[in-house]
Amino acid sequence: MTKKAPLLGILGGLGPMSTVYFCELLISHTKAESDADHIDMLISSRATTPDRTAFILGKSDRDPLPVMKEEALRLFKAGVDRIVIPCNTAHYFYDGLCQDLPVPLINIIEETVLHLKRRGITTFGLLATEGTVKSQAYKKICQRNGISCITPSEEQQARVSAIIYEQIKQNRPADTEALLAISRDLLERGCEAIVLGCTELSLLKPTLSDKLPFVDSLEILAYQTILACGKTPIGFPDEFEEETEP
């Protein structure tokens, strides 16, 4: 009897372009000789999910968790074996989602921190939404793993937020020079790497990767998702390959 291929559920739309890019990463980095060698997946792109950062910061009373739960359970009922969320800020609601979810939910923040730990990185700078920063979602996991997370100044964070919300999310050109300047400042403050902790910022990785030591959380999620689905990852940086060595 042929073993049933695992079915991946992607709880997306947070934002929509990040979801599309995540799917592109999965497809382009999975070893395959034919269509049938790729990951079976169902994609929910609920773009009308209430904004995560606005709710976390108390700027909106529209809780995104019920909508996320509805979509996660819809994916489960459709037969998925595990779920991923290509959005860092949404992981503020991770525990609430897991309570009613009968299938595993891969945690992008935890996987990113564990990736840094395996590489021997003890201090990193975080570029993320204000919701992710203020909720200390990264710092909580870092504390359990003996890693320090440094965030931008208040003024710098406002600039990062503007790049995410006023440029990338609006399909406008992103001020990569400002992002690089903030990243250099974090490196001067003792960071060994800069984590792109917002999947909108992951969209800029191809134009930033050769300039500074960036670590892309979405790329890490893609790698771990491919492994979790029983496939072979290809085309990732050397440090990823080292993670699967005995």
Side-chain angles (χ1 to χ4, degrees):
M1 185 175 179
T2 304
K3 185 179 178 182
K4 177 179 174 290
L7 180 60
L8 175 69
I10 300 177
L11 204 166
L14 318 171
M17 188 60 76
S18 298
T19 301
V20 172
Y21 181 51
F22 178 67
C23 294
E24 181 183 337
L25 288 174
L26 292 180
I27 295 166
S28 62
H29 288 293
T30 296
K31 184 178 181 181
E33 295 181 359
S34 68
D35 291 347
D37 293 327
H38 283 281
I39 297 170
D40 287 338
M41 63 182 84
L42 289 179
I43 305 164
S44 162
S45 187
R46 188 82 172 262
T48 54
T49 303
D51 187 81
R52 283 65 59 201
T53 289
F55 181 79
I56 292 169
L57 298 180
K59 296 179 179 180
S60 169
D61 60 1
R62 298 181 63 223
D63 188 351
L65 181 57
V67 178
M68 292 169 63
K69 277 188 173 183
E70 180 183 336
E71 290 306 300
L73 289 173
R74 181 156 65 154
L75 288 168
F76 166 69
K77 290 174 182 177
V80 304
D81 300 290
R82 67 187 69 247
I83 293 176
V84 292
I85 308 175
C87 171
N88 283 266
T89 312
H91 282 68
Y92 172 83
F93 307 93
Y94 180 84
D95 291 340
L97 274 172
C98 289
Q99 285 176 3
D100 300 314
L101 195 59
V103 294
L105 178 62
I106 302 174
N107 190 316
I108 188 173
I109 296 177
E110 184 173 19
E111 294 298 343
T112 300
V113 171
L114 291 175
H115 173 87
L116 295 168
K117 186 176 181 178
R118 285 189 289 265
R119 288 180 56 185
I121 292 172
T122 59
T123 305
F124 71 92
L126 177 65
L127 298 179
T129 65
E130 191 176 357
T132 297
V133 171
K134 290 292 177 63
S135 69
Q136 298 193 335
Y138 267 87
K139 288 192 176 183
K140 291 172 184 175
I141 296 178
C142 285
Q143 287 172 354
R144 299 201 298 264
N145 289 278
I147 296 177
S148 297
C149 172
I150 296 179
T151 54
S153 68
E154 187 173 335
E155 181 181 346
Q156 289 172 333
Q157 181 58 52
R159 192 73 197 98
V160 173
S161 296
I163 291 171
I164 295 169
Y165 278 90
E166 298 172 19
Q167 296 175 3
I168 301 174
K169 283 184 179 290
Q170 296 183 25
N171 293 318
R172 297 170 56 200
D175 188 352
T176 54
E177 287 305 316
L179 204 65
L180 287 169
I182 295 168
S183 301
R184 292 189 189 98
D185 182 69
L186 288 168
L187 291 170
E188 290 174 3
R189 291 167 60 189
C191 295
E192 302 160 73
I194 305 298
V195 168
L196 299 176
C198 169
T199 55
E200 257 89 22
L201 296 178
S202 297
L203 298 169
L204 304 179
K205 173 78 183 304
T207 64
L208 299 173
S209 58
D210 294 333
K211 302 181 185 298
L212 294 174
F214 287 104
V215 174
D216 180 13
S217 61
L218 194 61
E219 193 174 53
I220 293 166
L221 182 64
Y223 184 86
Q224 293 300 332
T225 299
I226 293 168
L227 288 177
C229 290
K231 303 295 183 179
T232 301
I234 58 171
F236 285 92
D238 292 343
E239 57 265 22
F240 282 84
E241 303 295 334
E242 294 167 4
E243 293 188 11
T244 56
E245 291 180 358

